[in-house]
C-alpha cells in the first residue's frame, strides 16, 4: 500500500459510512440482540434480589459479548476504512484510530 500525501480534507463522522457486508451486519445485529437480552436478564436478576455474585457474573458475560462486537467492528474498520483513508492521503485517521483504541482499552 502506497501512502500518498496527507493533505486530504478531514471528513466528520456524519459524512462517512461503514462498509460492512450484509453477513457482518447480520452477525453484529444478532450479537447485539443477544446482549440486549442479557441486559434485560440482569435487570430481572436485580429486581428479584438475586445473589450479587450471580449478577456480577452475568455483567461480566455481557461485557465480554460487547467486547467481541467491538473487536469485529475494529477489525473491519482497520482493514477497510482506515486503509482506504490512508490511501486517499488522510493520515489524520491514524490519530483517530489511536484514540479509538485508547477508549476500548479503558474498559
Amino acid at each position: 500500500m502506497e501512502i500518498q500525501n496527507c493533505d486530504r480534507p478531514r471528513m466528520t463522522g456524519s459524512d462517512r459510512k461503514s462498509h460492512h457486508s450484509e453477513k457482518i451486519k447480520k452477525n453484529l445485529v444478532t450479537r447485539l440482540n443477544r446482549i440486549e437480552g442479557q441486559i434485560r436478564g440482569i435487570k430481572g436478576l436485580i429486581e428479584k434480589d438475586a445473589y450479587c455474585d450471580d449478577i456480577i457474573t452475568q455483567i461480566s458475560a455481557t461485557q465480554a459479548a460487547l467486547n467481541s462486537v467491538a473487536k469485529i467492528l475494529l477489525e473491519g474498520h482497520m482493514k477497510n476504512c482506515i486503509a482506504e483513508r490512508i490511501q486517499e492521503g488522510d493520515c489524520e485517521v491514524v490519530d483517530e484510530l489511536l484514540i479509538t483504541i485508547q477508549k476500548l482499552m479503558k474498559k
Side-chain angles (χ1 to χ4, degrees), residues 3 6 8 11 16 29 32 37 43 45 48 51 54-55 57 61 66 69-70 75-76 89 91 107:
I3 297 179
C6 295
R8 181 175 174 263
M11 296 173 69
R16 297 185 300 254
V29 168
L32 290 169
K43 181 180 174 188
L45 290 173
K48 294 174 187 173
Y51 187 59
D54 294 338
I55 298 170
T57 298
L66 275 172
V69 169
E75 179 181 351
C91 293
K107 296 173 172 69

Side-chain angles (χ1 to χ4, degrees), residues 17-55:
K17 301 283 185 201
S18 63
H19 306 288
H20 303 297
S21 69
E22 287 303 314
K23 181 180 177 182
I24 296 291
K25 279 196 261 189
K26 184 176 179 183
N27 181 8
L28 292 170
V29 168
T30 298
R31 288 171 181 266
L32 290 169
N33 286 338
R34 193 174 306 125
I35 291 166
E36 188 176 24
Q38 288 176 296
I39 296 292
R40 283 193 303 273
I42 291 167
K43 181 180 174 188
L45 290 173
I46 290 171
E47 290 171 343
K48 294 174 187 173
D49 295 319
Y51 187 59
C52 295
D53 191 58
D54 294 338
I55 298 170

Side-chain angles (χ1 to χ4, degrees), residues 58-106:
Q58 291 305 310
I59 290 170
S60 178
T62 304
Q63 288 172 329
L66 275 172
N67 285 340
S68 292
V69 169
K71 287 176 190 175
I72 292 168
L73 286 168
L74 183 60
E75 179 181 351
H77 185 55
M78 291 175 72
K79 287 182 176 179
N80 297 302
C81 305
I82 299 295
E84 179 182 298
R85 287 177 58 194
I86 288 172
Q87 286 176 338
E88 292 173 354
D90 181 2
C91 293
E92 287 182 16
V93 72
V94 175
D95 292 330
E96 177 186 292
L97 177 61
L98 291 171
I99 291 168
T100 299
I101 292 170
Q102 289 172 350
K103 288 177 186 175
L104 285 172
M105 293 178 76
K106 285 183 183 178

